[in-house]
Amino acid sequence: DHHIFLTFVDGVWCIMVTVMLISEGVEVRRRMSTGKSALYAYVRDFWNIVDWFNIVAGYILIVFFIRVVILAGNLKEEALLFEEPITEANQEQAQTFVDDMETLMMATLDLRRMGSVQP
């Protein structure tokens, strides 16, 4: 199933970000135990800065993605409350809902694209 595959891929990506966090955390702890100069050298290293940027960006993407998924679920519940058939009285509400759903789905797609290029 397509949804199972996407959930699996998202889970693997979250695990990869977490492994990077743990790895960098261990390195920081090791450097802290050897003295301030070693920690200072670690912080000044360009690639360590890139790693921490990727970790922070990764968790930001995870939080935003979870929010988008929750909002999509809420919109789905709202859709179930619509009375059928759509009449002139609720047509504007239905159109607003559809527009919000399309916006939300595009945001989800954008988040997936951003996640796919996240190193």
Side-chain angles (χ1 to χ4, degrees):
D1 187 46
H2 182 66
H3 295 291
I4 293 172
F5 175 74
L6 290 178
T7 302
F8 174 76
V9 170
D10 289 339
V12 168
W13 188 79
C14 291
I15 290 169
M16 288 174 20
V17 172
T18 301
V19 166
M20 186 185 295
L21 173 66
I22 292 168
S23 173
E24 290 300 315
V26 166
E27 181 66 19
V28 166
R29 186 170 230 196
R30 186 179 68 78
R31 297 286 182 114
M32 287 176 66
S33 68
T34 60
K36 287 183 180 180
S37 63
L39 181 61
Y40 183 66
Y42 172 84
V43 171
R44 286 186 19 213
D45 185 279
F46 173 77
W47 293 111
N48 291 328
I49 294 169
V50 170
D51 288 343
W52 281 105
F53 174 80
N54 285 327
I55 291 166
V56 170
Y59 280 110
I60 289 171
L61 285 171
I62 290 167
V63 168
F64 277 107
F65 183 73
I66 289 170
R67 179 162 165 65
V68 166
V69 170
I70 289 170
L71 290 173
N74 292 343
L75 283 174
K76 182 178 179 180
E77 290 176 14
E78 284 182 37
L80 297 174
L81 299 176
F82 284 142
E83 295 179 20
E84 291 194 25
I86 295 177
T87 63
E88 286 185 33
N90 65 1
Q91 186 174 5
E92 186 175 328
Q93 179 188 14
Q95 185 59 50
T96 300
F97 172 80
V98 169
D99 293 344
D100 290 346
M101 182 63 86
E102 288 175 355
T103 300
L104 183 59
M105 292 301 104
M106 291 305 297
T108 302
L109 181 60
D110 290 343
L111 282 173
R112 285 193 178 277
R113 287 179 183 149
M114 287 170 43
S116 69
V117 297
Q118 173 72 17

